[in-house]
Amino acid sequence: MFEPVVPVSPALPTLAAGAGDRSSSIISVEHVFKSVSDSTGTLTILRDIDFALAARETAAIVGASGSGKSTLLSIIAGLDRPTQGTVRLAGQDLFALSEDDRAALRAQKVGFVFQSFQLMGNLNALENVMLPLELSGAKNARSQATEMLKRVGLGERLGHYPKVLSGGEQQRVALARAFVVQPAVLLADEPTGSLDFATGEKVMALMFELNQELGTTLVLVTHDPAIAARCERRITIEAGQVVAA
């Protein structure tokens, strides 16, 4: 059993499991719309998206390409701003915050895993995982990052740079970087999309294992029905609208 690293920020209060109860939700998406305009007119990407997720819950956002899945994930993270509506993270209205305060809240509460890994090429595996700890002012960043890399099976690859790591190894470094700060929420955008089937299976097993051990709410965008079936909730989007949640 993995022994969690020391948190770098105060622990969140325990939240009730009822995902429909806004007061007990770690994530609350409230009547969110997203539109973009150009010389050809206005395109509505998301229409009245409304749902809530409880702490420790796992949810898959599914739908066809272009349905708005990744846009929704970016809005949940506070990286993209909705045209209308509210997103609350741990009770805080993301878009009532300044950009700096929103970034600070993300750093404290949210981890990210992307299909393209997004590792820093000039940093080795250990330095990539240490980075969010150092940015938050955590003590013992090296030992915490080393322990997490050992946890994901990369204890012998600490000094290796991304260019000499396989795709599966890079994704495991990305997982270690996301989980090392013990985020309240982990957001993953097609986390196995760049991996072969066997490697993708190993990465997903590790992601769900860490989710259970650290109590992190997991929200992932996927086109893979087998991955979606492993989640407690499936949020299906068609043409920018939730058709099942």
Side-chain angles (χ1 to χ4, degrees):
M1 176 70 69
F2 169 66
E3 183 175 344
V5 293
V6 177
V8 299
S9 58
L12 289 171
T14 301
L15 298 176
D21 181 356
R22 299 287 185 182
S23 66
S24 66
S25 300
I26 187 70
I27 298 170
S28 180
V29 179
E30 303 170 15
H31 302 291
V32 161
F33 292 75
K34 177 65 178 181
S35 300
V36 294
S37 298
D38 60 19
S39 59
T40 64
T42 299
L43 173 65
T44 299
I45 301 172
L46 298 173
R47 304 171 185 267
D48 200 20
I49 305 294
D50 193 86
F51 63 87
L53 298 173
R56 299 176 176 267
E57 194 165 10
T58 59
I61 300 175
V62 300
S65 296
S67 59
K69 304 185 302 296
S70 293
T71 298
L72 175 58
L73 201 70
S74 293
I75 289 174
I76 291 172
L79 295 170
D80 194 3
R81 180 180 288 273
T83 307
Q84 181 181 330
T86 302
V87 176
R88 300 184 194 277
L89 175 62
Q92 295 203 51
D93 182 344
L94 281 180
F95 301 103
L97 300 174
S98 68
E99 186 172 340
D100 287 346
D101 288 342
R102 196 159 57 246
L105 182 63
R106 262 198 311 273
Q108 183 186 27
K109 309 288 188 191
V110 181
F112 298 91
V113 179
F114 300 96
Q115 178 177 341
S116 57
F117 317 135
Q118 296 197 2
L119 300 177
M120 302 291 289
N122 61 328
L123 302 180
N124 62 32
L126 180 60
E127 291 165 342
N128 265 283
V129 179
M130 287 173 61
L131 185 60
L133 293 169
E134 292 176 328
L135 291 174
S136 67
K139 297 180 180 179
N140 303 318
R142 179 173 293 273
S143 62
Q144 291 186 45
T146 299
E147 180 63 30
M148 182 58 79
L149 281 165
K150 289 179 179 177
R151 178 65 188 83
V152 300
L154 294 176
E156 303 300 318
R157 307 286 268 170
L158 303 181
H160 289 71
Y161 288 83
K163 66 182 180 181
V164 299
L165 298 174
S166 69
E169 288 171 333
Q170 290 185 60
Q171 192 61 296
R172 282 186 280 158
V173 173
L175 273 178
R177 182 182 59 186
F179 274 109
V180 75
V181 295
Q182 296 194 44
V185 174
L186 180 74
L187 304 176
D189 193 358
E190 297 285 6
T192 63
S194 299
L195 307 176
D196 63 76
F197 177 79
T199 303
E201 282 289 296
K202 292 177 182 177
V203 166
M204 288 310 305
L206 180 61
M207 184 176 294
F208 280 99
E209 184 179 343
L210 291 170
N211 160 259
Q212 290 296 312
E213 292 183 7
L214 298 183
T216 298
T217 300
L218 173 62
V219 185
L220 59 91
V221 165
T222 183
H223 66 279
D224 188 331
I227 292 175
R230 298 176 67 171
C231 294
E232 296 164 308
R233 295 271 300 280
R234 184 184 303 202
I235 300 166
T236 303
I237 298 181
E238 292 182 5
Q241 293 180 292
V242 172
V243 296

